[in-house]
Amino acid sequence: DKNYIGAEAAATNAEAHANLTPNGNANIEAQMDYKDGKLVYNVKMTTENSKFTYGIDAKTGEILKWVVSAINTAANNTNSSTS
């Protein structure tokens, strides 16, 4: 619909706000949803060390909310040595 910015533009806004490189190493998902009387894009981005969740107004592109969480990668690291 021409009244909405589109999922790609919402993802681009979120990437720029998070200072991530466009088309970089982030895994990105964007879905439109109806929240608090307006349509918003829920954008989820995951990098090696962080998880980002954004709510972006589907008409204006304004970032309504965001949450950044660290991903604990220490549990995934294993040290090995050979003798």
Side-chain angles (χ1 to χ4, degrees), residues 5 14 18 27 31 33 35 38 41 43 61 63 65 72 75 79:
I5 63 168
N27 179 23
Q31 288 185 310
D33 196 8
K35 298 254 181 171
K38 65 173 69 175
Y41 284 102
V43 180
I63 295 172
K65 67 173 185 164
N72 182 358
N79 293 325

Side-chain angles (χ1 to χ4, degrees), residues 35-72:
K35 298 254 181 171
D36 300 323
K38 65 173 69 175
L39 286 169
V40 297
Y41 284 102
N42 293 316
V43 180
K44 296 179 182 180
M45 304 181 296
T46 306
T47 65
E48 183 177 325
N49 300 316
S50 302
K51 180 178 178 180
F52 303 83
T53 304
Y54 280 83
I56 299 178
D57 188 293
K59 287 188 176 185
T60 67
E62 176 187 2
I63 295 172
L64 303 172
K65 67 173 185 164
W66 71 92
V67 176
V68 180
S69 308
I71 296 174
N72 182 358

Side-chain angles (χ1 to χ4, degrees), residues 1-34:
D1 190 327
K2 293 184 182 194
N3 295 324
Y4 304 111
I5 63 168
E8 187 173 329
T12 299
N13 287 359
E15 278 182 309
H17 186 268
N19 291 320
L20 297 177
T21 305
N23 300 318
N25 293 337
N27 179 23
I28 302 171
E29 296 178 23
Q31 288 185 310
M32 189 185 284
D33 196 8
Y34 193 73

